Amino acid sequence: MNKKTTPWNPPVASTMSSAVEASMYNSIQAILRQAASSCNKGMLRWTLHKKVETHPSNSVSLVRVLVKELEKVERLDYKMHVIPLLHTLNYVIIQQSSHIPCKLFQRVYECFKRLLTLPEPYCTIALRYVRGIKMEQITPGALYQRRVIAEQSLRNKHFPQQERVFVFADPAVFSGSLWQAVRADLVLAGHQSDTLARLVLLHTLQAGLGKACHGPILTQALEDLGEDVEKYFQEVVLAVEQSIENGEAGRDQHKTRLQHIYSDILTSANQDPKARGSLSNTPLPSPEIHFHLWTNEEELWNELVNFTLNVSTSERNSMYQEEEEEDVSKRVSLLSVDSGIEKDLSDMEEREQRNPFTRSRSPCFRGRMKPEDKMALVQENIKGPACSTPLPKEEGNLTARIVMMGDDRVLGRLAKAYHSIRKREAKHLILTKRVNLQIYYIPVTDEPIVNSPESTSQVGDRLSLASFLGRVDPWYESNINSLGAMIPKLAGTQSSHSRSSEPNHFLVDVLSYYLRCGIQPVHFTLYSVKISVSGQTGSPVNEVFVSHLDAEFPEFKTLRENLKQERSSLRRTRKTHGTCGAVVSMNYTKVSLSKQEVVQGMSVMTCGVGISAISPNETEGLDSLTVHFDSTNPRCCTEIRTQNIKIRILEDKTFTVCLDKDCRRKYTHVQSIEISPCLDPGYCLQTSSKFSVGEEREAGLSKYMCKILPLPINTFTGINH
């Protein structure tokens, strides 16, 4: 008699996992699909990470899908998919490393290692992420802990890295309502330091102990501890940093140490120290953002100085506090065994006299200070007085992330401010030693935007830099250029909701992703221009521009505008009527493939000159200028490529110069301009210095320095030469 067989039903958990993995696979394919618009790709990426943040258990399925796709890319040589997959996978690991099993971690590591054989920039990004994955394998939760400590400037004795995000919005683009809307979305309610400490503790212990940790019970225990959580936070930070230093040899010791900390926390909160169970969600908090309407160009430098001053003063106060605590403990120990004779305490009193800061207030400043006074204060805080104990020589442990919001005009102002900072630092070299400056750009414009055949997003006339970045980096195009097109709509969107509504986290989430994954800079060459103005005595005006210089002759302004309209409508007037423009002479260095400089001179009749540093073709690079002379006479419509050019008007006329399409940087009554790549002030100072040993030493030092000053804008890919 045959036995009746019952159909096999797969486990519910396995069925759910397959369904989640299929959903994740469809989302990844939609992101990678070429036909999808950039705006949709950016939104899909954000939705994907939001799903993982809300449901951490989905992170395992997403990591599996991403690893499979990277392995497929490796086999089929689909390099255009490497960047989105790399950044997406690494970001998931930072968010939810505590939920990813060890075997899957090892698979990710092996996949990243194989990508090191790819050309630039893929191998550079893979190498950076391989190091992070290896550290996470040895010390689970280290990436999350270090990032939160740095971004939130959590004070501790063992990991000194601190970051600060400054967003500067151009008032020429951001109206009152738009500025208020963006500020409301970016400057969210900050977390308290004790809340962040609990979050770090929870994530690190869960990542390190896994199933041996009970997330909900630990969460409640940490809340019950109150201010006492600080002690355990310091212990965990020390344990993680020592584990990273010890490497694989100390892996078991690190886990045992975390187990002791976990048991102590639960015991202190009257909980079962052996509790095990499910894990709690630990979403990665957004970095603290300082939002500024950039009305004064000096504000950028002032914020960097204040950042350095505050951290340096905090470090010094912390050090003196530790010394005072140590002194008190020594006093107590002496009094407990001594008869009270004053001579026994003379050593302590002498030490106090040598260190006058043990009883003095920390340095402070109010109101406006002169730049030289503020720089001296920075130097004093970093080095300390000669009689005091110097600060630990931790150089480069501060990172200032500068985010510019606007169009070509805001990057032009940034170029000028950046050159000014470099000029100051060439003489003092104080901020550069401590602050690592990272620059980011979110394009926003107030002008009507049109569809561009060169880019999948909408661009305006003042977004040439953003358009170039979108062409060289499609992932920047998808996530950042598409975001810039949405920002002007925020004011209307927010006004339609009640004021009590929650802030929209989309903008701050995308910005956080950009700050954390935008690690590949594109270097834009800065150009210096000497402007000679009629009737002005003394040296010419020295300026800097990054994208455009426009020279216009007032008498022929209408004529030039008509020419632009004809070009835009694909018409060309062949007949010339009357004067074609003003006569100018120019001397320039012709750019050739052999890199040999050929100086040429000529005179042309023109009604306007347009000089662009942004090539319409990303393969041509950013190391030359395209100079176009407008004229009604086709023979006078000249276009040249050069790096150095001098233009001088021959008639008794003057012209107007506008830098980076910014009317705030316009010069009138100009007689001549001289343009060349902007030299790094540090290089100029080095080559102009006089040493007693002679010029041979100067050449030996300067030949290793970068001669031209670039403006680095962080992207996801960079430029692949």
Side-chain angles (χ1 to χ4, degrees):
M1 185 174 178
N2 296 332
K3 294 182 179 179
K4 185 177 180 181
T5 59
T6 57
W8 177 81
N9 293 319
V12 176
S14 177
T15 304
M16 291 179 62
S17 176
S18 299
V20 170
E21 196 163 319
S23 174
M24 296 295 176
Y25 174 80
N26 292 333
S27 298
I28 292 297
Q29 292 304 312
I31 292 174
L32 299 178
R33 198 174 297 124
Q34 294 294 317
S37 68
S38 293
C39 185
N40 288 339
K41 287 183 180 182
M43 185 64 73
L44 285 170
R45 199 275 317 158
W46 176 75
T47 305
L48 195 62
H49 286 300
K50 213 64 181 173
K51 286 180 181 178
V52 173
E53 183 180 300
T54 308
H55 304 286
S57 58
N58 293 346
S59 59
V60 178
S61 298
L62 179 56
V63 170
R64 285 200 188 101
V65 171
L66 290 168
V67 172
K68 288 178 182 177
E69 288 301 312
L70 273 173
E71 292 170 345
K72 185 194 299 183
V73 164
E74 185 183 358
R75 291 194 309 270
L76 302 178
D77 198 27
Y78 287 163
K79 290 189 178 67
M80 72 286 293
H81 294 165
V82 172
I83 297 299
L85 293 172
L86 264 178
H87 288 308
T88 304
L89 177 53
N90 188 72
Y91 204 63
V92 175
I93 290 172
I94 295 173
Q95 284 182 304
Q96 304 294 346
S97 63
S98 58
H99 292 79
I100 301 172
C102 295
K103 289 185 178 179
L104 188 55
F105 247 123
Q106 183 61 28
R107 189 177 171 187
V108 172
Y109 177 71
E110 295 296 334
C111 180
F112 279 16
K113 275 181 63 177
R114 290 193 297 270
L115 295 177
L116 297 178
T117 60
L118 295 179
E120 290 280 2
Y122 313 110
C123 61
T124 302
I125 300 173
L127 178 61
R128 177 165 178 163
Y129 288 163
V130 159
R131 290 169 177 165
I133 296 297
K134 190 63 178 177
M135 181 175 68
E136 191 71 17
Q137 283 184 298
I138 297 172
T139 311
L143 289 174
Y144 181 100
Q145 177 173 298
R146 282 187 162 190
R147 185 165 294 279
V148 174
I149 288 175
E151 290 180 347
Q152 307 295 336
S153 297
L154 297 182
R155 289 184 58 184
N156 67 92
K157 306 172 186 176
H158 316 292
F159 183 66
Q161 299 293 328
Q162 293 191 33
E163 298 181 2
R164 189 160 296 178
V165 180
F166 302 97
V167 177
F168 290 93
D170 191 352
V173 174
F174 285 78
S175 60
S177 57
L178 180 58
W179 175 73
Q180 293 290 346
V182 174
R183 186 179 184 277
D185 284 349
L186 287 181
V187 187
L188 303 173
H191 299 277
Q192 297 294 328
S193 59
D194 57 343
T195 304
L196 293 166
R198 288 198 297 268
L199 196 63
V200 170
L201 272 168
L202 180 60
H203 184 275
T204 302
L205 292 174
Q206 288 187 151
L209 301 177
K211 295 180 180 179
C213 178
H214 195 297
I217 291 180
L218 178 59
T219 302
Q220 186 60 48
L222 291 172
E223 291 180 359
D224 294 342
L225 285 176
E227 294 182 357
D228 293 337
V229 77
E230 176 67 19
K231 177 183 70 172
Y232 297 105
F233 169 71
Q234 297 293 342
E235 288 183 19
V236 164
V237 174
L238 176 60
V240 167
E241 293 305 315
Q242 287 183 344
S243 174
I244 294 172
E245 185 177 347
N246 295 335
E248 292 194 39
R251 183 182 295 187
D252 294 337
Q253 182 183 358
H254 174 65
K255 190 169 184 178
T256 303
R257 194 171 182 180
L258 291 184
Q259 186 66 58
H260 285 312
I261 296 174
Y262 173 70
S263 299
D264 288 347
I265 292 173
L266 295 190
T267 302
S268 301
N270 299 321
Q271 299 285 351
D272 180 10
K274 297 182 179 179
R276 299 186 176 192
S278 60
L279 301 181
S280 295
N281 190 12
T282 54
L284 183 63
S286 301
E288 184 181 359
I289 297 173
H290 301 260
F291 188 78
H292 302 268
L293 197 64
W294 198 21
T295 55
N296 183 6
E297 291 178 3
E298 286 291 313
E299 190 176 4
L300 174 57
W301 187 82
N302 288 335
E303 288 297 331
L304 293 176
V305 172
N306 291 339
F307 178 35
T308 308
L309 274 174
N310 293 336
V311 174
S312 301
T313 304
S314 176
E315 289 176 351
R316 187 171 296 282
N317 290 342
S318 177
M319 183 183 66
Y320 293 149
Q321 184 179 0
E322 291 177 12
E323 288 183 356
E324 286 182 351
E325 291 174 357
E326 185 179 343
D327 291 347
V328 170
S329 64
K330 288 184 178 181
R331 284 175 180 271
V332 171
S333 62
L334 284 170
L335 290 171
S336 64
V337 298
D338 194 78
S339 60
I341 300 175
E342 292 183 2
K343 185 177 182 298
D344 294 326
L345 300 178
S346 60
D347 292 340
M348 299 300 299
E349 292 174 354
E350 289 178 6
R351 183 176 175 182
E352 287 180 357
Q353 290 174 0
R354 288 197 303 267
N355 189 357
F357 282 90
T358 56
R359 294 179 180 176
S360 64
R361 298 175 61 184
S362 60
C364 62
F365 57 95
R366 296 180 179 177
R368 294 185 178 181
M369 298 180 65
K370 295 180 180 180
E372 55 271 19
D373 295 338
K374 188 171 286 189
M375 185 62 75
L377 187 57
V378 174
Q379 194 167 10
E380 179 184 346
N381 272 271
I382 293 176
K383 295 182 178 180
C387 59
S388 68
T389 305
L391 282 171
K393 295 181 180 179
E394 303 273 359
E395 296 187 353
N397 58 356
L398 305 181
T399 300
R401 303 192 184 277
I402 309 297
V403 184
M404 309 308 298
M405 280 190 174
D407 47 31
D408 291 346
R409 294 173 291 181
V410 76
L411 288 186
R413 296 178 66 205
L414 172 65
K416 184 178 180 180
Y418 182 68
H419 178 264
S420 176
I421 291 173
R422 295 286 294 182
K423 197 171 181 180
R424 284 168 170 160
E425 283 295 291
K427 298 178 181 179
H428 297 284
L429 204 63
I430 295 175
L431 293 181
T432 305
K433 284 186 175 182
R434 298 215 66 191
V435 181
N436 174 25
L437 189 63
Q438 298 291 319
I439 301 174
Y440 304 81
Y441 173 46
I442 297 180
V444 186
T445 185
D446 60 337
E447 67 178 2
I449 51 179
V450 296
N451 289 323
S452 169
E454 302 165 348
S455 176
T456 53
S457 69
Q458 291 180 314
V459 297
D461 184 52
R462 293 198 182 105
L463 293 178
S464 59
L465 287 160
S467 179
F468 179 85
L469 291 175
R471 293 197 303 273
V472 300
D473 185 353
W475 201 231
Y476 180 92
E477 176 74 19
S478 300
N479 290 277
I480 307 305
N481 274 349
S482 60
L483 177 66
M486 298 171 63
I487 287 177
K489 304 173 185 177
L490 285 177
T493 304
Q494 195 175 81
S495 61
S496 62
H497 294 80
S498 63
R499 293 186 178 181
S500 60
S501 62
E502 288 291 323
N504 184 358
H505 288 262
F506 176 74
L507 178 57
V508 73
D509 286 345
V510 176
L511 177 57
S512 301
Y513 178 76
Y514 181 28
L515 293 170
R516 291 162 179 163
C517 296
I519 56 178
Q520 292 291 103
V522 172
H523 293 91
F524 291 96
T525 301
L526 298 186
Y527 288 90
S528 63
V529 52
K530 295 180 180 179
I531 304 173
S532 297
V533 179
S534 176
Q536 179 178 321
T537 58
S539 303
V541 177
N542 291 310
E543 265 283 8
V544 175
F545 71 96
V546 66
S547 61
H548 292 86
L549 183 147
D550 191 74
E552 194 169 65
F553 300 91
E555 299 90 339
F556 308 106
K557 183 177 180 180
T558 305
L559 185 62
R560 192 186 186 197
E561 290 175 352
N562 293 337
L563 285 174
K564 289 182 178 180
Q565 292 177 1
E566 290 174 5
R567 279 200 297 266
S568 63
S569 60
L570 301 179
R571 293 185 293 108
R572 186 72 180 173
T573 304
R574 295 189 175 274
K575 294 182 179 180
T576 61
H577 303 281
T579 307
C580 299
V583 180
V584 298
S585 69
M586 62 175 174
N587 293 301
Y588 67 97
T589 304
K590 187 176 181 181
V591 174
S592 62
L593 295 176
S594 62
K595 303 295 183 181
Q596 294 181 350
E597 296 186 354
V598 179
V599 179
Q600 296 191 354
M602 58 185 291
S603 297
V604 295
M605 184 174 288
T606 178
C607 56
V609 183
I611 302 176
S612 175
I614 308 302
S615 171
N617 185 359
E618 61 272 16
T619 60
E620 295 180 358
L622 296 166
D623 56 355
S624 63
L625 298 167
T626 302
V627 185
H628 184 83
F629 294 88
D630 291 321
S631 177
T632 56
N633 188 342
R635 292 177 298 177
C636 296
C637 287
T638 307
E639 185 172 286
I640 60 174
R641 290 181 63 82
T642 182
Q643 285 187 323
N644 303 270
I645 187 170
K646 182 175 182 179
I647 300 175
R648 180 171 59 91
I649 192 166
L650 297 179
E651 302 172 341
D652 188 18
K653 293 185 177 69
T654 59
F655 55 95
T656 301
V657 170
C658 183
L659 302 174
D660 293 314
K661 303 177 182 179
D662 192 347
C663 62
R664 294 166 295 185
R665 302 177 64 205
K666 181 178 285 188
Y667 294 86
T668 58
H669 307 293
V670 177
Q671 290 182 318
S672 68
I673 55 175
E674 185 175 354
I675 302 171
S676 59
C678 185
L679 298 179
D680 191 314
Y683 174 86
C684 297
L685 187 67
Q686 177 64 38
T687 54
S688 63
S689 299
K690 298 298 181 182
F691 297 95
S692 59
V693 295
E695 296 182 358
E696 185 177 349
R697 181 181 174 186
E698 298 172 21
L701 291 173
S702 61
K703 69 180 181 181
Y704 296 108
M705 301 177 65
C706 181
K707 183 177 180 181
I708 307 302
L709 178 64
L711 179 68
I713 305 294
N714 280 355
T715 65
F716 300 100
T717 306
I719 292 183
N720 184 21
H721 292 290

